[in-house]
Amino acid sequence: MAVPKKKTSKSRRDKRKATWKRKAALQAQKALSLGKAVLSGRSSFVYPAPEEEEEES
């Protein structure tokens, strides 16, 4: 039969949530910084700029 799991303490729950939010905030900050750098032209970005394709018609 299934046995209920032990209840997770509030401090453990809060610690996990804080870690998750900290990681998310850091990634958001990096993305914003990279976006600003790309828009200002002071970044050598990994992806190449899209090239215009010429159609042969």
Side-chain angles (χ1 to χ4, degrees):
M1 263 180 82
V3 178
K5 295 180 180 177
K6 288 185 175 180
K7 182 177 180 180
T8 304
S9 68
K10 290 179 184 178
S11 62
R12 183 174 292 213
R13 178 200 64 198
D14 292 345
K15 186 167 66 170
R16 285 186 184 143
K17 192 178 285 189
T19 301
W20 185 86
K21 286 186 177 185
R22 192 177 310 118
K23 285 182 180 180
L26 184 61
Q27 288 299 318
Q29 184 180 13
K30 285 182 181 180
L32 188 61
S33 175
L34 181 59
K36 286 180 180 179
V38 168
L39 285 176
S40 68
R42 63 179 171 83
S43 171
S44 57
F45 193 53
V46 177
Y47 299 115
E51 298 176 6
E52 295 180 16
E53 297 180 13
E54 296 179 15
E55 294 184 17
E56 296 178 18
S57 303

